[in-house]
């Protein structure tokens, strides 16, 4: 029994079901991020938690109270919208206290609460201004202030950073995380940005096509994706997926793929794969697991070194990304910035097979 | 329109400039000529008009025709002047405009922010009411006013104009509110504002331009209406337009053209005033509605 319980919640518009039996239990103080491509149902789910959309079947409960049919204002939630949704005709101060006013809080208490929140978010000098006179980052703070002042059980964020420029987005991300650590509030946060999801959350729900594909900590999601969708959606650059055939090497299983010169490469995997001998599988390798031999993880048990042609290099300053051909496909690796790699020439590469994952090529599900 | 043309104004040569100004000036004069004649003749003694020169400035300036038209001229059979009818029109137009605008704003709010099954159909039907010719409803309307026992009264006229005006005001406000961010309404809902609180506190303060457009449109139409006034409120409750007609058509005595001109200007003044005061917002509101909607 969680703090926020979503049990078998579905949502249909007419005969079209857009959310299919979602089950998520959020503990108190957790930072849950719903992430997925557009149209995956993440915003719909958030609106259902907020009470802005009806729940077709199933149940949503906050603090053990069933919330189906309860008006948004009676759920003790607060929401930060993508467009901030600040009331244009009111000052910042009025925007922040509007919710308290509607709930009948006396003026003195409202002003006190407003002062505290403004202090916390460092927007005290802005209280008398109209939203139209604020910059994007300031509006963002005011929108958060409006949510904080209510002291709600659950905070809902609907892509709050997507309207900001890249630098400000990173700053506000840190700020939201700080705020969460300081206040210990329960947050449900919707985004399509997988980096935001990884950096902010204590747990992530990856959604696609109205299903929760995987629910877990950022590390679980990243290292142990449940299927091909989660593997390729999370991480940037995304995971390399290549087709290979399982070959047994005594007791150890290995996946055979084609190298750049067509020479087969055998990659041992940490999966008990006797049953798959001779079958085709999808091998998933993250870019950082394909690197130069000196950059490879010294603690890894299965490191495979190979010589392969480097097609393209992309120095990013801190690292150098490179493209090479494995299993007939462009494969992205990441090496130390100091490692030498010349496009068109053969270089030594190391693959950390501890981190490799296998998927069923037809269903896309993980093979463990 | 002036806003848009300024933005896309092209650089023109001196000759073109001169041509444009002359052209515009000629047309402005052409359109102002009738008003000039009305104004000039309304401050002349009758003898100067009957003497033959309508276009000349008056030799003797007098306000007599204005005073006559206002308080002593023969309207039908009573020598009351236009004064009581002017107040009739005010008593008709103000409540009608206020009620229409209020209901139109509420309708627009509901049709855009509280969608329900069949809302587009209802909006379509309301829109349809804008296109029903006045003549068609005359007889059914007379019957209904009779049943409600308000035929021949200003109240009856207010009802008629409200019924006709709601279609337009709903159209205006619906299109305006369609561009109003729904997230604001949702935020207010979460903040605990109710149906009417959202309307008063969130939508209304942002509705200035469209309210002005709606008020100007309704005011002009209702003030200038003659058919409904003549059909449903002849006699003591007649509005200004009907009274003006009676003034001009009264068959007793000499035709006092100067008084007629003064009366006609009086009948046109309120709409003129509304345009001068709120015309700037009219253009702005129209643009806002059309571009965003």
């Amino acid at each position: 029994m969680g703090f926020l319980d979503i049990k078998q919640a579905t949502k249909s518009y007419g005969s079209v079901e857009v959310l299919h039996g979602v089950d998520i239990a959020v503990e108190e103080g957790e930072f849950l991020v719903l992430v997925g491509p557009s149209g995956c149902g993440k915003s719909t789910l958030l609106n259902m938690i907020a009470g802005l959309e009806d729940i077709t079947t199933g149940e949503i409960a906050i603090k053990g109270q069933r919330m189906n049919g309860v008006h948004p204002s009676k759920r003790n939630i607060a929401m930060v919208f993508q467009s901030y949704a600040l009331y244009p005709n009111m000052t910042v101060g009025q925007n922040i206290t509007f919710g308290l006013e509607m709930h009948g809080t006396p003026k003195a208490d409202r002003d006190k609460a407003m002062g505290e929140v403004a202090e916390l978010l460092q927007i005290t000098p802005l209280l008398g201004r109209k939203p139209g006179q604020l910059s994007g980052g300031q509006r963002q703070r005011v929108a958060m202030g409006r949510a904080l002042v209510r002291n709600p059980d659950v905070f809902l964020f609907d892509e709050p950073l997507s309207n900001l420029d890249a630098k400000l987005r990173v700053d506000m991300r840190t700020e939201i995380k700080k705020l969460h650590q300081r206040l210990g509030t329960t947050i449900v946060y919707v985004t399509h940005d997988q980096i935001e999801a990884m950096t902010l959350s204590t747990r992530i729900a990856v959604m696609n096509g109205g299903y929760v594909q995987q629910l877990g900590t950022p590390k679980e999601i990243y290292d142990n994706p449940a299927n091909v969708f989660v593997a390729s959606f999370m991480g940037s650059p995304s995971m390399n997926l290549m087709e290979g055939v399982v070959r047994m090497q005594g007791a150890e299983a290995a996946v055979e793929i084609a190298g750049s010169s067509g020479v087969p490469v055998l990659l041992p995997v940490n999966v008990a794969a006797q049953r798959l001998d001779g079958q085709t599988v999808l091998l998933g390798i993250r870019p950082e697991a394909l690197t130069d031999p000196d950059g490879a993880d010294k603690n890894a048990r299965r490191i495979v070194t190979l010589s392969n042609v480097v097609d393209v290099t992309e120095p990013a300053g801190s690292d150098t990304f490179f493209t090479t051909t494995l299993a007939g496909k462009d494969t992205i690796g990441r090496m130390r910035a100091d490692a030498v790699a010349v496009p068109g020439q053969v270089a030594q590469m190391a693959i950390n097979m501890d981190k490799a994952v296998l998927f069923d090529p037809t269903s896309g599900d993980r093979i463990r | 329109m002036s806003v848009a043309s300024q933005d896309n104004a092209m650089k023109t040569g001196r000759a073109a400039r001169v041509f444009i100004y002359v052209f515009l000036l000629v047309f402005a004069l052409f359109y102002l000529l009738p008003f000039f004649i009305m104004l000039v003749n309304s401050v002349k003694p009758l003898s100067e008009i009957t003497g033959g020169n309508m276009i000349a400035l008056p030799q003797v300036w007098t306000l007599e025709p204005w005073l006559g038209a206002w308080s002593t001229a023969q309207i039908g059979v009573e020598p009351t002047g236009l004064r009581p009818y002017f107040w009739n029109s005010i008593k008709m137009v103000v409540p009608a405009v206020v009620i229409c605008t209020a209901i139109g704003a509420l309708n627009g709010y509901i049709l855009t922010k509280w969608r329900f099954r069949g809302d587009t159909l209802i909006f379509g039907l309301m829109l349809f009411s804008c296109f029903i010719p006045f003549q068609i409803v005359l007889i059914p309307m007379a019957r209904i006013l009779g049943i409600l026992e308000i035929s021949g009264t200003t109240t009856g006229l207010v009802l008629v104009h409200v019924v006709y005006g709601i279609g337009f005001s709903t159209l205006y406000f619906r299109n305006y509110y369609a561009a109003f961010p729904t997230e604001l309404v949702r935020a207010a809902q979460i903040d605990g504002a109710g149906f009417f609180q959202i309307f008063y506190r969130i939508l209304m303060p942002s509705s200035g331009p469209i309210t002005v457009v709606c008020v100007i449109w309704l005011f002009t139409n209702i003030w200038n209406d003659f058919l409904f006034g003549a059909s449903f409120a002849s006699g003591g409750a007649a509005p200004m337009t009907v009274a003006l007609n009676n003034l001009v058509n009264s068959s007793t005595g000499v035709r006092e053209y100067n008084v007629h001109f003064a009366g006609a200007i009086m009948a046109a003044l309120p709409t003129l005033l509304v345009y001068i005061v709120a015309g700037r917002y009219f253009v702005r509101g129209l643009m806002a509605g059309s571009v965003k909607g």
Side-chain angles (χ1 to χ4, degrees):
Chain A
M1 182 83 172
F3 188 73
L4 164 66
D5 256 335
I6 304 166
K7 285 186 204 147
Q8 281 300 310
T10 66
K11 175 75 189 173
S12 306
Y13 293 107
S15 58
V16 185
E17 194 173 88
V18 295
L19 271 184
H20 318 278
V22 174
D23 268 307
I24 301 175
V26 185
E27 297 304 321
E28 186 163 12
E30 238 189 313
F31 197 131
L32 175 76
V33 173
L34 306 175
V35 69
S38 356
C40 70
K42 57 191 192 298
S43 287
T44 307
L45 182 58
L46 194 76
N47 285 337
M48 283 160 69
I49 299 171
L52 297 169
E53 304 247 19
D54 294 332
I55 302 155
T56 309
T57 62
E59 184 182 303
I60 291 179
I62 298 174
K63 277 179 152 178
Q65 296 270 317
R66 187 180 146 93
M67 285 296 156
N68 297 35
V70 175
H71 191 268
S73 64
K74 306 253 160 53
R75 299 186 177 204
N76 202 18
I77 46 142
M79 189 153 169
V80 176
F81 292 87
Q82 183 173 3
S83 67
Y84 317 133
L86 301 178
Y87 311 127
N89 52 301
M90 300 184 200
T91 64
V92 168
Q94 288 165 335
N95 260 288
I96 290 175
T97 54
F98 184 72
L100 295 177
E101 190 191 333
M102 290 296 116
H103 282 83
T105 313
K107 177 108 173 61
D109 296 355
R110 293 205 304 257
D111 289 346
K112 187 163 163 285
M114 177 182 77
E116 284 167 8
V117 166
E119 189 84 7
L120 180 71
L121 294 168
Q122 298 163 0
I123 51 173
T124 312
L126 308 177
L127 287 175
R129 292 209 209 155
K130 291 275 176 72
Q133 300 165 307
L134 303 180
S135 69
Q138 289 169 331
R139 284 182 209 184
Q140 175 67 57
R141 279 167 201 272
V142 175
M144 288 198 327
R146 192 169 67 181
L148 282 172
V149 78
R150 301 259 317 275
N151 200 12
D153 292 331
V154 182
F155 282 94
L156 307 174
F157 286 83
D158 189 4
E159 308 209 13
L161 302 182
S162 53
N163 281 351
L164 300 177
D165 63 65
K167 180 165 164 26
L168 203 53
R169 196 178 308 167
V170 175
D171 293 348
M172 288 307 292
R173 201 167 73 197
T174 316
E175 208 147 319
I176 291 177
K177 187 148 194 178
K178 270 190 203 157
L179 213 58
H180 175 246
Q181 284 171 354
R182 183 144 31 130
L183 303 173
T185 45
T186 311
I187 296 178
V188 181
Y189 186 108
V190 163
T191 182
H192 61 264
D193 182 345
Q194 48 89 19
I195 296 178
E196 252 171 52
M198 292 293 294
T199 50
L200 284 171
S201 65
T202 57
R203 269 201 306 164
I204 298 176
V206 183
M207 296 183 67
N208 189 35
Y211 291 96
V212 174
Q213 302 287 339
Q214 191 175 2
L215 177 64
T217 63
K219 190 163 174 54
E220 279 166 18
I221 299 270
Y222 193 76
D223 289 343
N224 283 308
N227 54 39
V228 170
F229 175 80
V230 176
S232 53
F233 189 78
M234 301 302 287
S236 172
S238 61
M239 183 184 267
N240 300 301
L241 293 166
M242 40 201 131
E243 280 197 354
V245 179
V246 176
R247 301 262 184 251
M248 292 309 292
Q249 302 258 298
E252 279 249 299
V255 177
E256 183 187 295
I257 59 168
S260 55
S261 50
V263 181
V265 182
L266 265 181
L267 302 168
V269 289
N270 57 352
V271 177
Q274 285 88 342
R275 63 201 153 91
L276 297 171
D277 193 11
Q279 284 187 31
T280 304
V281 292
L282 270 183
L283 174 67
I285 294 173
R286 294 246 176 236
E288 62 271 18
L290 171 60
T291 182
D292 59 291
D294 291 337
D297 187 353
K298 298 284 181 292
N299 300 320
R301 286 186 297 123
R302 294 183 187 81
I303 298 277
V304 179
T305 51
L306 70 159
S307 301
N308 220 27
V309 177
V310 175
D311 297 329
V312 179
T313 60
E314 294 172 342
S318 55
D319 309 283
T320 299
F321 291 98
F322 65 95
T323 308
T324 183
T325 307
L326 282 173
K329 281 174 69 180
D330 276 355
T331 304
I332 296 175
R334 184 168 133 187
M335 59 172 93
R336 292 171 303 125
D338 300 334
V340 181
V342 182
Q345 290 188 10
V346 173
Q348 285 289 309
M349 299 170 190
I351 303 178
N352 179 357
M353 288 306 292
D354 285 0
K355 296 277 189 182
V357 285
L358 294 185
F359 299 101
D360 182 318
T362 45
S363 69
D365 287 339
R366 178 80 181 276
I367 301 169
R368 289 180 196 271
Chain B
M1 289 315 286
S2 65
V3 180
S5 54
Q6 262 170 20
D7 288 343
N8 328 322
M10 282 178 277
K11 294 249 180 271
T12 44
R14 206 186 174 83
R17 270 284 116 158
V18 170
F19 174 75
I20 289 170
Y21 277 116
V22 169
F23 191 74
L24 290 177
L25 214 64
V26 166
F27 271 92
L29 287 176
F30 180 73
Y31 281 110
L32 281 173
L33 196 63
F35 186 66
F36 169 77
I37 291 183
M38 283 173 73
L39 203 60
V40 161
N41 288 302
S42 71
V43 290
K44 268 180 205 171
L46 187 58
S47 55
E48 279 185 39
I49 300 175
T50 46
N53 206 342
M54 281 186 84
I55 300 197
L57 287 172
Q59 285 152 346
V60 184
W61 294 78
T62 172
L63 280 177
E64 216 41 54
W66 280 77
L67 296 174
W70 181 244
S71 54
T72 61
Q74 194 84 16
I75 311 290
V77 289
E78 302 284 336
T80 54
L82 289 169
R83 182 169 48 189
Y85 304 101
F86 183 85
W87 293 119
N88 279 348
S89 268
I90 295 284
K91 276 186 261 173
M92 166 187 76
V93 82
V94 172
V97 167
V98 169
I99 294 171
C100 265
T101 310
I103 295 180
L106 207 56
N107 282 347
Y109 167 53
I110 293 167
L111 286 170
T112 52
K113 304 303 172 204
W114 299 85
R115 309 290 302 267
F116 51 92
R117 195 178 290 270
D119 53 357
T120 26
L121 180 71
I122 288 186
F123 177 59
L125 290 176
M126 297 196 86
L127 204 59
F128 191 63
S129 79
C130 302
F131 304 110
I132 298 174
F134 283 8
Q135 293 82 342
I136 289 180
V137 302
L138 280 181
I139 292 168
M141 188 57 91
R143 179 89 186 100
I144 284 171
L145 292 179
I147 291 168
L148 296 175
E149 295 181 355
I150 47 173
S151 58
T153 64
T154 306
T155 319
L157 272 186
V158 169
L159 177 71
V160 175
H161 287 300
V162 164
V163 168
Y164 248 103
I166 282 176
F168 277 104
S169 58
T170 302
L171 169 68
Y172 284 138
F173 277 98
R174 185 217 168 256
N175 287 353
Y176 189 75
Y177 288 152
F180 192 87
T182 302
E183 280 198 343
L184 283 177
V185 176
R186 297 190 147 190
Q189 268 181 289
I190 289 178
D191 271 344
F195 178 84
F196 283 106
Q197 277 170 324
I198 294 175
F199 184 55
Y200 289 137
R201 299 287 301 272
I202 313 294
L203 267 82
M204 283 291 267
S206 305
S207 308
I210 201 65
T211 308
V212 170
V213 170
C214 192
V215 164
I216 291 185
W217 171 268
L218 290 172
F219 189 97
T220 316
N221 270 4
I222 297 173
W223 184 274
N224 286 341
D225 165 71
F226 180 78
L227 185 63
F228 287 148
S231 310
F232 301 133
S234 51
M240 191 72 167
T241 43
V242 175
L244 179 68
N245 178 59
N246 293 347
L247 167 73
V248 175
N249 282 343
S250 59
S251 48
T252 46
V254 201
R255 285 188 170 263
E256 297 178 299
Y257 292 111
N258 52 354
V259 176
H260 297 173
F261 279 127
I265 295 174
M266 259 179 226
L269 268 185
T271 50
L272 214 59
L273 208 68
V274 168
Y275 268 110
I276 290 167
V277 170
R280 264 186 313 150
Y281 300 98
F282 186 68
V283 175
R284 231 182 270 168
L286 275 186
M287 300 293 289
S290 59
V291 174
K292 287 185 202 151

